[in-house]
Amino acid sequence: MVQSDVLERLRKVILEESSVEEVEDVARAVIESGVDINDAIHAATEAIRAVGDCFEAGDIYLPELMIAGRKMERCMAVLRPHIKASDSGVQGGRIVIGTVSGDIHDIGKNLVATMMAVRGFDIVDLGVNVPPLKFVHAAKDAGADIIALSSLMTTSLPYQQEVIDVLKELNMRDRFYVIVGGGPVTPEFARSIGADGWAENAAAAARLCEMLMASGIKPPVAETVIP
Ligand code: B12
């Protein structure tokens, strides 16, 4: 099968009615076809976002959103191990990552963590629904360089701000870079809360961490870095 066909099939099985097993089969076929892994992830991401748009428009309901979410999780479980380290210089550093309080979305966060790991960073993944203080304690205990906050909902966005506030209250803001991302997180929002960096996707997030680590600037940086 030609590569564009296999990507189209991947989009279809995530968007349309299909079983989790079918999605896994197509994801494996994508890998076997030799398609660039980033193109495959991009196609799957476009499809699941389209599902989100249908949900928002009221064209589908929660059970369908949940099935699509499960299919996307399994698709990513097949694709993620094939993400390769790029040939850029490995900077290294330790990153504490998680999805903030009130939010259980982790597909994007897991992709970001994987991309950071293949680029040579040590990752401490705190999972989902992580309270602000837990990020701070974990970063301190792990001797982290960077705290990475994921948020997929407008209602969980304020918790990104809260992590920065807690760091300031504990006089620890100069110990960690704080980077933010996720669907509703814009560069403007990142700037407004004084985050050190924002990135649009997993590859850019890993590049952002490399830029911060190489900058030699102590956190907080004067201007939010956007790769
Ligand atoms: C799949 C999905 C689910 C799945 C999640 C499965 C899982 N394991 O994550 C399930 C079904 C469980 C789910 C549940 C809910 N969901 Co939902 N979900 C989605 C959906 C369709 C896709 C999200 C996704 O996986 N995208 C694909 C990944 C690859 O992209 P991504 O997450 O954006 O991540 C990329 C970038 O953003 C970036 N990034 C991500 N994190 C970070 C972090 C850093 C530091 C950086 C630098 C970059 C970065 O890099 C990633 C990789 O490229 C979105 C729609 C959308 N447009 O996002 C709705 C969406 C997020 N959900 C929504 C809602 C409302 C809900 C529910 C409340 C539904 C309900 N009534 O119960 C619950 C939430 C419960 C809770 N408390 O969290 C709304 C949120 C609206 C809002 N308020 O903002 C959305 C936007 C749908 C919509 N349009 O209405 N959901």
Side-chain angles (χ1 to χ4, degrees):
M1 192 183 296
V2 280
Q3 297 191 342
S4 55
D5 288 350
V6 86
L7 287 182
E8 194 42 46
R9 259 186 80 201
L10 185 64
R11 281 193 198 91
K12 267 186 115 147
V13 284
I14 292 172
L15 258 171
E16 295 173 7
E17 213 170 296
S18 63
S19 67
V20 165
E21 290 71 27
E22 269 177 88
V23 174
E24 287 176 329
D25 286 346
V26 176
R28 280 190 282 267
V30 165
I31 297 297
E32 279 158 23
S33 76
V35 159
D36 184 323
I37 187 70
N38 295 313
D39 291 344
I41 289 170
H42 184 69
T45 302
E46 268 182 0
I48 193 70
R49 287 190 179 148
V51 173
D53 292 345
C54 294
F55 176 71
E56 196 173 16
D59 296 337
I60 60 166
Y61 297 98
L62 188 57
E64 285 123 307
L65 179 70
M66 290 178 74
I67 292 167
R70 185 89 193 105
K71 290 194 293 185
M72 180 70 175
E73 284 166 15
R74 300 281 282 269
C75 171
M76 287 299 150
V78 174
L79 298 183
R80 267 206 322 267
H82 298 273
I83 296 175
K84 301 266 185 327
S86 83
D87 52 2
S88 80
V90 172
Q91 185 68 41
R94 184 160 296 159
I95 302 172
V96 164
I97 189 168
T99 304
V100 300
S101 280
D103 196 330
I104 58 150
H105 295 87
D106 67 358
I107 294 170
K109 183 265 294 168
N110 292 345
L111 257 182
V112 170
T114 302
M115 196 60 86
M116 289 166 168
V118 301
R119 297 283 282 247
F121 289 96
D122 286 336
I123 304 298
V124 178
D125 188 342
L126 302 179
V128 297
N129 191 18
V130 182
L133 207 51
K134 190 168 172 188
F135 277 108
V136 176
H137 285 153
K140 183 168 170 263
D141 293 348
D145 303 289
I146 299 175
I147 299 176
L149 307 172
S150 182
S151 173
L152 261 289
M153 301 198 300
T154 48
T155 47
S156 64
L157 279 182
Y159 292 104
Q160 296 196 333
Q161 162 101 67
E162 210 170 306
V163 173
I164 293 178
D165 290 346
V166 170
L167 284 171
K168 285 182 186 160
E169 274 162 32
L170 299 175
N171 284 325
M172 290 166 79
R173 182 63 187 96
D174 59 351
R175 298 218 357 217
F176 315 102
Y177 295 110
V178 180
I179 67 166
V180 294
V185 185
T186 60
E188 293 70 40
F189 176 78
R191 285 190 195 100
S192 76
I193 64 169
D196 298 303
W198 171 91
E200 185 173 22
N201 56 42
R207 242 183 3 258
L208 166 64
C209 294
E210 288 170 348
M211 288 164 73
L212 289 170
M213 294 301 291
S215 71
I217 303 168
K218 220 171 137 66
V221 302
E223 204 169 312
T224 307
V225 177
I226 298 175

